Structures are given as structure tokens and as C-alpha cells.
Amino acid sequence: MFVLRFLVATLLSKLGLSGMAILGLVAIWAATPAPAQDGPLRIEITEGVVEPLPFAVPVFVAENAAAEQVARDITRVVAADLVSTGLFREIPAEAHIASVSSFDQSVAYSDWKAINAQALIVGAVSVGSDGRVETRFRLHDVFAGAELGQGLRLGGTTQAWRRIAHKVADQVYGRITGEGGYFDSRVVFVAEEGPKDARRKRLAIMDYDGENVQFLTDDATLVLAPRFSPTGDRVLYTSYETGFPQIYLLDVGTVQRQVLADEAGTMTFSPRFSPDGSRVVYSASRGGNTDLFARALGGGEATRLTSAPSIETAPSFSPDGSQIVFESDRSGTPQLYVMPSTGGEARRISFGPGRYGTPVWSPRGDLIAFTKQASGRFHIGVMRTDGSEERLLTASFLDEGPTWAPNGRVLMFTRQGAGAEARPEIYSVDVSGRNLKRVPTPGSASDPAWSPLLP
Amino acid sequence: MELSTALKISGGAHGALVLLALVGGIFSGDFDEAMQVTEVSVISGAEFAALVEQSGSGTPSPGAEAESEPEPEPRPEPEPEPDPEPTPEPEPEPDSAPPEAAAPPAVPETAGEVLAPEPGDTPAPAPRVAPRPADRPERDVAVAPEMQEAAEPVPADETSPEPAERQEAEAPEAASTRIVTEATEEGGAEQIALAPAAAPRPRTRPDRPAPSPEPEPEQVARPEPEPEPEPEPEPEPESDPLSDAIAGAVADAVAGGGAAQGDPGPPMTAGERDALRLAVQECWVVDVGSEAANVTVTVGMRMSPDGTVIDGTLQMLEASGGSDAAIQSAFQSARRAILRCQRGGYDLPPEKYAQWEEIEMVFNPEEMRLR
């Protein structure tokens, strides 16, 4: 027992000593200031989610009886525009808790918050005795509990109600994304009919969403590759009216057309406007060699931009007009090159495997879209203007001829499947590669060209 | 003498008893027999059920099912028979009808013989099953569109306030599934951070039993709900349970740093910071194709003790990488993320309020843009 007691006493004393020592250390540690975070707590967030932003758009308030139908129509088009981007998701009206009966009533943000609506569009429509449609709208940031931007009033004829709706949607899109919209724009394209070996083609124009299709030419002659002017009121295109390809200039309003350059024995094609609309750059084939030329719209002689034995074609200006990207097979296969818009030394920017063609400079200026053929498939892709960061957005049997939305955010292009029965159709895709979908057209369609945002 | 005699008698009797125990084999045979146990292997319920089914004489319930199943089988047979009966002439049929009509009554008699093999062979279920699958695809097809629509309209059909709550409940789920991998990683980090706080406590228990077992459990119970305030009162007044105080202090020191004697309180742990980060990024919607995806924006805000942002304090402190419009869009997106995900308040440790009263959040979409 004595031994046991001795052992326990020793153990306790040692424990006590070491315990005191530890306690002292801890006390010193506690006394020293904590590893201070200077100022506020700082958190870095690098991972978000990619998902559509939920919004609510109650039917616009009809301020008089004549406006009831058009108010509903405008509301639907606004919602459809936003949803079509893939960036927004509409919360159906059945889920709405609050109702909007007056344009000026205060917004019950909590009710919209409860259904997780992040944006709320409130509008009102009235139709005057002269048939003039007047639309007002406000955009609310629900979770901030505040209006996003100022309220806006838009007016137009009854026939132009779709444009009014597109403009409302453009405003909403712009205020939320910080970018310009593209809904109030049009697309000129080649409408195709008939079998593959005897296809009739004519120029047509439609709203960006496939509505209001109108034909600009008859199907008597083959037409190709229409291109909008920077103001959207004229179209350049290639026609076989005289038997071989020549460039024509068409006034969209009057449908009057004229030959751009009557150069006997010269095939001219692949035209495109300069950003200021004063010049046209195009390809001309003389004596079996194709080079790039530029010409002022007011008249005068053509300026040669390239002089190589290879084929140079598909020129496209940079938004500032200082450079031209084009396609050339001078290296053996079609590749993309960039040169000053006045001509001069060209710099190759495409180096991946396969063939590159139909480059188009983004209106934003940061990217160049192109068609790529590799491993038996066609792709629509984008790359930086120096050729870096190439990204292929689509892949199919035949994708070609991209054209940019006015805000440089979406691309339209022609897609055609394999086989004799396959018909060309117009597709659109977000520049991120998402939201690929077919653009509704009455029949087969190809060669889309997107207009700028309408005034 | 009497004592010695008694001692001798007792010693002799005990000695004899010991000898009997050693020689008589009391410890040998009985135990072996008692310890002989049949080997047992652990099987799952499913395996057991399978074994029972194989043996056939298992529980009565499956047997009853097997018997009851064959019974309906003959019933469908008579059903098709009556169909032909009503259709054509009555006269020629009587010949064939009697055997058919006789079959149903015969069912119970022959059923016992016929049914026995059927459940084992299971040919009977097959024809039954065959017609059913034909129906199922139709149901699936019919269900699919409803399900797709249900995602949004479901709330619509019901009363308005309910769908709202459901949508909110659904959104975080969808988001959380994406972040599951990170969340699990971060969750692991939190657990690691919390582990030391829990680990030292067990140490106190083995120490305590020696000095005083009773007061300790009470103290132990207190530390669990309030881990941090403990060290302050314990070390100062109670110097007796040294080990307890040491363990508590060490545990807190390991877990979060120094004791909360200063005003700012203990710093936020990595787990707590990550929890806040995850909560916000769950609601941060990034439009990777937009110009705003090039903008890194820093947002500052003041928090109320309940973990919500104080109205009007959320503001942009810094931004880089885009046009003014893009910066505004990036800021709005960040603001929506913070305000939307706060719901009833972020889950922040109230005792460290001084640490998170002011928060700066940097929203950097670079990694998302490069994907």
C-alpha cells in the first residue's frame, strides 16, 4: 500500500507541476492578441453558378380597352425574347403572389422575393384614338428592393407592337447584363425552295426571332451571301443575274438594287461593308486569281488590298475599321489572316488542324468567329483576334457562315445535315457555346446576316 | 484445542474439496460441452429471405403469397374463355364448352398439384408480366411531360404562397448538388477544425475519475454548448480540477486560437469562412459569356448580429476589368447573390460578431470564364 500511495502521490505532483506549466503557457498565449484580421472580414468568391436568372413579367396593364390584346402580346414577346437568350427564366404567371393592377402602384418586393423572382418587369400599354401604341415599363431588382434604371416610355404604331416589345426586352437585357441587347434587330438570309439539284433562292428579311418574313428578291436568279450595312438599311449580296457572280447593293426600304462594280469579265463576291459604311471590301477573281479589293460606295476605282497567287476571300473589318481579317490558302490550306485595312503584310492567326474560313470580326471587337472543317466535321468557332483561345461552339455535318448579333453575344449560322433530303436551316448559339437552337424560318434558309440594332 | 480441532477438520474438509475439484474434473468436461457452439455466420436480411425461399418451408407469409399468386393465374384463363363463348354459335360450342366450363370448378382440385411446381419454376409470372410492361411505357410517357412541366407549374397549381417556398427550397438544392464536391471538401475542413475541440475533452475524462468524478460531468455538459466562454471562468476560480481547465484551454486554443478575452473575439475559422463563401457562391449567377465575366468586383457591407446585411450598407468598393456597364452588371450580380442567399441571415458564429460585422467580398469570375 505504501508503494501504491507513493506512486500515486508522485504521479499527482508531477501532473500538478506540468499542469501549472501548461496553464501558464496557455495564459500567455491567450493574452497575446489573436492573429488579427485587419479590418473587415474578407472573403473571395471564385465559383458561381451558371443558370438562368428567374424573372417575372406580369401582363402589362392595359390602360384602356383597346390596349388589352396588344398589352398581352407585348408582354409575351418581352418574355420570349428574354427566355430565348438562355440567360433568363420566366416565372409563370400562375406562380405570382402579387398582382399588378396599376403601373404606378408600389411594388411588394417581398411577394416577388418569395417566388424567387430576381427581376420584375412592370409595364402598361395604352392605345390612342389614332392607333398609336404607347408602352411604359419599369424594371425592378427584387432582392435589392429598388428600381433598376429609370422607367421608360416607348411609342409606335399598332403594326410596330413587336418592335416595341423587342425594345422593352432590349432595355431589360441591357440593364441586367450590362450589354446592349439584340432583340430589335433583323436578319437577312437566303430563303431556299425546291430540291437540292434545282434549288431556288431569294433574299428574305425577318425579325431576329423569325417573325415578319419578307422577300427582297424573286427566285429568278441565284443569290448568295447577303450582308447588312452598318445602318441596316442596305444589303450587299452576290447575284448571278448576269450569268456570273457580281455584287449588288439593295435598298431594304425600296427594294431597289444596283450593281456595285460593273467590271467586265470579273467575278466579284464576298462583299462586306466597312464599319462607317463608306467603303466595301470584297473578293474579285481575275484571270483565275482571287484577291481582295476595296471600293468606296460613292464611286471611284477599286483599291487592291492583296496580290498573291493564292485565293484571298471572305474579308471582314474590325469594328474600328483599322484591320481586316480574311481567309487565304497561301500556306496550302485555307487559314485566317489579319492585315491593315489599307492592305499590307498579313499575319496568320489560325494554326490549328483543319481548314478555317468565313471569319467575322465581333462587333465587340474581342473575338473572331469562323467556320472550321476538321476531321470530317464542320464547326462554328471563335478565337481571340490574335488567334489565341480558340473555342469551337458547334459540330455537325455542315455548319458554316457565322454572323454576329449586334452585341457580339450570339452567333447565327447555316446548318445542314447529310443526305439529299437534308435542308439548310439557320441556327443560333451563344458565344459561350450554350443555348444552341434553330431559328424558325418558313422554309429552308441559309446565309444569315444579322443587322445592327435598329434605331 | 477445540480451535485446533476445528481448524484441522476445516482444513481437511477444504483440502478434500480442493482435491476433489482438481482431480474430479469439475473444470474439464462440463465447460467443453457448454462451450460447444455451432458455427454461425452473419447474413443479411435479404440473404436470409433468399435462404428461406429456397428451403420453401420458411416463413408462412411467402408461402401464402406463392399460393395466393397461382390462384389468380387460373382465373385469367377462364376469363379469355368466356370471351369466345358469347361470340359465335351456341350449338357447336357445347362440345368444347363443357370441358372449359368444367375447368374452373376443377381448379381447386388440380390447383394443388399444378400450383406447386409453378411458383418454383416461375413460368406463370412471366406471361403475366409480359402484358403489364406493355402498359407501363405508356404511363411513363404520360408522366414524363407532367414532370417536366411540374418543375415550374407545380407551384402555379397550388396556392400562391406555397409554391414560393417550394421554389426557394428547390433552388438551393439544385445549387448544392453542384457544390457537393466542394461542400464535402469544405465540410471536411470544418470537421478537421472542430476535431481538436472535441478530442481534448475525452482526455479530461480519464483524468477526472481519479480526483473527483461527480462534479466533472456537469462541467463537461456545459462546455459542449458553450465551448469558448468556458475557459474564462474555469481556470480562474476553479484551480482544483487542473486537468479539466488545461484540457479546456488547450482545446479552445487548438480550435480557434486565443481565448476570447479581447473585444474582437476569436478569429473566424477556415471552416466558418468557407461556409459563408459557399453560401454566397450558391446564389452567384455568372453569365460566363458576358463582358461582366471579365470584371472582378469587391463588395463591402455591414452585417447585423442576426447574419443579415444591414439595408443600405451594401456597396461596391472596387472593380476592375471592364466597361462601366459591365462593372455595374457585375456589381448587381454580386449584390443579388448576397441578398438572395442571406434568406433569414447567414449562419455565422454569433460570439464572433465583431469579426464579421464588416465584410468585404471579392467576386472573381476568372476561373469560371476560362472553363
Side-chain angles (χ1 to χ4, degrees), chain B residues 280-306:
Chain B
V280 174
Q281 75 179 24
E282 191 178 309
C283 284
W284 185 34
V285 177
V286 180
D287 177 8
V288 291
S290 70
E291 285 185 277
N294 298 320
V295 177
T296 296
V297 63
T298 305
V299 178
M301 72 207 85
R302 288 180 66 84
M303 309 293 288
S304 59
D306 64 356

Side-chain angles (χ1 to χ4, degrees), chain A residues 336-421:
Chain A
L336 305 184
Y337 295 79
V338 171
M339 68 174 179
S341 60
T342 53
E345 190 175 350
R347 173 171 48 89
R348 179 174 167 179
I349 61 167
S350 64
F351 293 94
R355 298 157 171 264
Y356 293 78
T358 66
V360 194
W361 214 301
S362 157
R364 230 192 253 175
D366 57 344
L367 296 173
I368 290 172
F370 55 85
T371 304
K372 180 174 183 175
Q373 184 188 7
S375 304
R377 308 193 80 185
F378 278 82
H379 309 270
I380 301 298
V382 294
M383 59 171 63
R384 295 269 170 201
T385 56
D386 60 359
S388 64
E389 294 184 31
E390 177 180 319
R391 293 202 312 269
L392 300 181
L393 309 179
T394 73
S396 86
F397 176 76
L398 177 57
D399 283 352
E400 63 177 354
T403 178
W404 288 99
N407 66 351
R409 182 57 205 268
V410 181
L411 288 159
M412 274 190 197
F413 58 95
T414 307
R415 168 167 288 188
Q416 185 167 355
E421 297 302 316

Side-chain angles (χ1 to χ4, degrees), chain B residues 267-278:
Chain B
M268 299 276 285
T269 64
E272 289 161 347
R273 296 165 68 102
D274 280 342
L276 176 60
R277 184 172 58 78
L278 289 171

